[in-house]
Every structure is written in structure tokens, then in C-alpha cells.
Amino acid sequence: MRLERSGQIFLLLFEGVMVFVELLVCLQGRSRPTTALFQEAATLEKAPVQQMTRFDRIKAKYKGPQISISPEVEEEVGFSYASFDEAVAATDYNFNRNDVVKGTVVQYDKGGCIIDIGAKASAFLPLQEAALIQGQGTAIESLIDIDEERNFEIISEEDENGQLMVSVRRIQYREAWDAVVAKQATDEAFDAECVSVNRGGAIFLVEGLRAFLPGSHLTGRLPDEDLIGQTLPLKFLEVNQDDNKLVVSNRRAVVEAQMEDLSRGDVIDGIVKALKPYGAFVEVGGMSGLLHISQISMDRINDLERVLQPGQKIKCMIIDHDKVNGRIALSTKTLEPEPGDMIKDPERVYEQAEETARVYLEKQEAERKKREASAKDIVLGLGDALDDLGVGMDGDSKESSDGDDASDNLDSLLN
């Protein structure tokens, strides 16, 4: 047969596609292996399918009326679709990630809203990027208004449709940190609302940022569920923008506010919080003051627990304070009508505290004036001695100018 001298054509049918393959027969009577045919078929590659853009898909599905513009109309108007396409292609929009641009809210969309920023395609604002402060279940309509014009930050590159993603939250985040840094620079107290509590303390919203309040810096109460929703005065303990860390203190704000109204000699109410070998710690309006054992009574105290007990309400006098560190030194012996009354009859001490304090302060003032008068007498005596020394040196008929200068200097010290 001629099969050894000529080629043989095999017709392969696979899923409706006909593939013609020519077999070449070797002159020596040996044919190529049958597997070579499958190897050649496997090397055929499918042509890549071009991805359609969103606009192309919408255009392909459009079944409405087709409007054609005649050349006469285009010439009359002076503008055509072709020239519009050329203008769009020639425009350089220069929109980059992290740029802040002006935009207008066009419409609400599922999960966000459409923003016109002057790009080829409208930008999209997701709900989570619409505001820094958002309650649970907040709708986009309550955060952004239609036709509202404001700044937006670009947070993505263009997708296949030329659309950008924008954010309002990131702009507000930077503005919040700027406000926090300004508050820290002035070191003024501010009010903030508690939004949650945990084992270590509570979380407060400060300019939209979450700040941690340690439980040890909460005055007069524990960080429990009742604290949520309440507004407290606070001051900063730590501000670290790089680590996104804010730590605040209620105790510092309260103490510094009260220290401004306190002065030495004031009689205040307090509660004994703890007893130590060297005295008692007394809470005064959220502050902790030290009542040293030597300031409790004029008489010697051998057993402090027989005089004071934790939780006991007492009256005491402020004898010293440190406004910078919020520390005060207290005394009850200055309120004793008679020495030892704090041991014998403490109720008498508390009942007559204001009157005893008035007498004590008047006595202190009288002693201060007496010391000043004694110091003045000493200085005047020193001036007279200098005058006599000048007369002795220069004679009775001649006054020393140096002595006059010394007297003038002494008069200036006394006045």
C-alpha cells in the first residue's frame, strides 16, 4: 500500500473544534510517535481575552435610543464628541495617594457615597472612612450631606474603572492630634466623656481619640459600668502620637483645681484612709494629705490606732502645701483648745476647730509682727552704731558721707 510512501491525514474532532494534523512518514518506513501529535496540540495557546471596563459593560447592555449628532450640528455648536474625548485624554489630573482635594458629595451609594473631585471618574467614600467618631449602626446619611463640599484625602490608586477611594476620617484624625498637642502645650484641664471601662481603668474620647485613664488616677470612685457616659475633668499624663498613645488623669485635674483654692491656715474636712507608723493619710477632696504623728496632738501619742481609725471623718488645718506635686501637710494639734484634747476629747476639737484656728492664726500673726519689730530694732541699732563710728573718726564738726550712704541704705531696707 501507499501508506509507507505518502502522508496520511487524520481528522480529530474535540468539542466542536476541528484540528487538522498532517503526519509525515519517514522514507525508511518509520513513523513519528503518536504522542507527538498530542504534544503539538498541547502547545496551542488560547488567545487572551481582553477585560472589559465597567463603562464598556454598561454600554454593551444599553438598549435605549441611540442619538447621533450630524456634522452640521457639530459645526454649528463648535464642539464634538471627538474633540471632547481628545480634551479628556489631554487633561493631566495629577491625583496621587495621600493628596487632599476638594470634592462634592453627589449621591449615596451602597456602603458609602459618590464624591465628585474633578477626576475622570467619581471617587468613592466608604462608610468606615466617613467620620472619625461613629456610633454603632451609624448610617452614611447622618455623617455626610448631599451637595456638601469639603476636603477629602485620597487613600487608593485608580482601579480599572479609573475610580479613586477617599477618606474624611484620616483628615479628622490628624486634626484631632493637632488639637491634643495644643491642649498638652497649655496644660489646661478639659472635659471628656467615658465610653468604656476595663480592668485597668476607663476609656475616654478626647477630640475623637481614645485616651486611657488608669484606675489609680480616678478620684473618689472605681472604674465601673456606671462611669460610662459620664463627663469628667481630665489632664494629660502622656501624649505620644508616634505610638498612638494617650494617657489622662482625673486626679491631677481635680487636685490642681482644688490646690488653687487652698492656702495655709485653712480648716478642711477629711477622711482617714490609712495609718502608718509615722502618721495618717487623709483624703481631702480627692487629694491625699499627710497628717504626721507629731502634728496630731501636743501630747505624745504612743498608740495611733487609739486616736484615729481608717474611715473616720476629721477636721484638720493645712500647714503646708506643694501645688506642683499636689501634696499637702495637715495638722490637728493646732486645733486643740487645750494640749492633749485630740487624745482626750477629739469631738471637742472638731466642734471648736474654726474658732481655735482663728485664735491660732491671730497668735501666729502677732508673733510674726513681733519678730519683724525685733529685726527692725536690730537694724536701727546697727545704723546708730555706724553713725557713732563715723563721728569718732572724722570729728564732731565733720559728717562722713560714707555714714550717710550707709544710713540711706539701712532706711531703704526698712521701708
Side-chain angles (χ1 to χ4, degrees):
M1 297 178 67
R2 295 185 178 181
L3 293 176
E4 297 180 356
R5 299 180 181 178
S6 62
Q8 183 180 11
I9 299 175
F10 293 93
L11 179 62
L12 301 178
L13 297 175
F14 181 72
E15 295 183 356
V17 179
M18 300 180 64
V19 179
F20 295 93
V21 180
E22 183 179 357
L23 295 177
L24 298 179
V25 181
C26 298
L27 296 176
Q28 291 83 3
R30 293 181 300 174
S31 62
R32 297 171 57 188
T34 307
T35 55
L37 298 176
F38 297 99
Q39 293 178 356
E40 291 181 3
T43 58
L44 297 178
E45 296 181 357
K46 295 183 179 180
V49 180
Q50 185 176 2
Q51 184 71 25
M52 295 178 64
T53 65
R54 182 184 179 187
F55 177 76
D56 293 335
R57 291 194 298 270
I58 295 175
K59 184 178 179 181
K61 295 178 182 179
Y62 179 69
K63 304 300 182 182
Q66 303 290 335
I67 301 176
S68 61
I69 308 298
S70 63
E72 292 78 9
V73 175
E74 292 182 352
E75 184 178 356
E76 181 181 352
V77 175
F79 197 77
S80 64
Y81 283 116
S83 57
F84 177 76
D85 291 338
E86 293 174 359
V88 171
T91 303
D92 184 13
Y93 294 97
N94 254 346
F95 288 118
N96 300 311
R97 186 192 292 266
N98 300 326
D99 286 350
V100 177
V101 296
K102 280 281 187 182
T104 304
V105 182
V106 177
Q107 69 179 47
Y108 297 123
D109 199 3
K110 185 177 180 181
C113 55
I114 303 300
I115 312 296
D116 180 14
I117 60 173
K120 294 180 181 180
S122 297
F124 182 69
L125 174 67
L127 173 61
Q128 62 270 22
E129 295 292 337
L132 180 61
I133 304 176
Q134 297 186 28
Q136 188 174 4
T138 302
I140 188 67
E141 292 81 3
S142 63
L143 302 176
I144 299 291
D145 297 328
I146 293 293
D147 296 329
E148 178 182 355
E149 184 178 352
R150 62 183 304 162
N151 287 332
F152 297 89
E153 181 178 343
I154 299 174
I155 60 175
S156 73
E157 302 294 342
E158 289 185 355
D159 60 12
E160 69 274 7
N161 301 318
Q163 190 175 62
L164 295 166
M165 191 174 295
V166 295
S167 171
V168 174
R169 184 186 65 85
R170 301 193 187 188
I171 296 177
Q172 294 177 345
Y173 178 80
R174 288 194 300 270
E175 292 174 348
W177 271 107
D178 292 340
V180 165
V181 172
K183 285 181 181 291
Q184 184 196 27
T186 59
D187 197 31
E188 295 180 356
F190 55 90
D191 294 333
E193 181 182 352
C194 178
V195 294
S196 64
V197 295
N198 51 41
R199 294 179 60 185
I203 303 297
F204 284 76
L205 277 185
V206 180
E207 298 292 338
L209 303 175
R210 295 171 66 87
F212 177 64
L213 172 67
S216 59
H217 282 267
L218 182 60
T219 300
R221 61 181 304 170
L222 296 175
D224 51 22
E225 295 293 333
D226 295 335
L227 185 62
I228 298 176
Q230 296 190 22
T231 301
L232 299 180
L234 304 172
K235 274 200 167 187
F236 288 114
L237 289 179
E238 182 179 355
V239 175
N240 191 329
Q241 186 174 359
D242 294 335
D243 296 336
N244 193 26
K245 187 176 182 181
L246 282 179
V247 184
V248 294
S249 171
N250 170 242
R251 180 167 60 84
R252 181 170 175 239
V254 172
V255 167
E256 292 185 7
Q258 292 186 350
M259 290 292 286
E260 293 179 355
D261 301 328
L262 296 178
S263 59
R264 293 179 179 88
D266 290 348
V267 177
I268 55 177
D269 296 325
I271 299 177
V272 178
K273 286 297 182 181
L275 299 180
K276 300 293 180 181
Y278 49 83
F281 284 100
V282 181
E283 182 180 317
V284 180
M287 297 179 294
S288 181
L290 175 62
L291 177 60
H292 196 270
I293 193 170
S294 62
Q295 290 293 331
I296 296 177
S297 177
M298 292 287 187
D299 289 353
R300 180 181 178 84
I301 296 178
N302 296 320
D303 188 0
L304 183 59
E305 292 183 355
R306 297 184 62 182
V307 182
L308 299 174
Q309 291 292 328
Q312 179 181 350
K313 295 182 179 181
I314 64 173
K315 285 189 175 183
C316 46
M317 177 186 288
I318 297 176
I319 58 174
D320 199 4
H321 56 70
D322 182 358
K323 292 187 176 182
V324 176
N325 297 313
R327 298 172 182 173
I328 54 177
L330 306 172
S331 175
T332 52
K333 78 176 183 180
T334 56
L335 304 179
E336 288 183 321
E338 299 292 338
D341 278 350
M342 272 298 296
I343 301 175
K344 303 172 186 176
D345 190 2
E347 292 300 326
R348 181 190 177 194
V349 176
Y350 304 146
E351 290 175 1
Q352 303 181 17
E354 285 75 12
E355 179 63 22
T356 307
R358 184 185 63 79
V359 174
Y360 174 80
L361 294 176
E362 289 178 354
K363 181 179 178 181
Q364 292 293 106
E365 182 66 15
E367 292 179 354
R368 183 185 66 81
K369 291 181 178 179
K370 183 177 179 180
R371 289 194 299 270
E372 290 180 353
S374 300
K376 186 174 182 179
D377 292 339
I378 294 174
V379 173
L380 290 176
L382 180 60
D384 293 340
L386 291 174
D387 291 340
D388 295 340
L389 181 60
V391 171
M393 292 178 62
D394 298 337
D396 295 336
S397 61
K398 183 178 180 181
E399 294 182 356
S400 172
S401 60
D402 294 339
D404 293 340
D405 293 341
S407 299
D408 292 340
N409 291 335
L410 290 174
D411 290 338
S412 65
L413 291 173
L414 296 175
N415 295 329

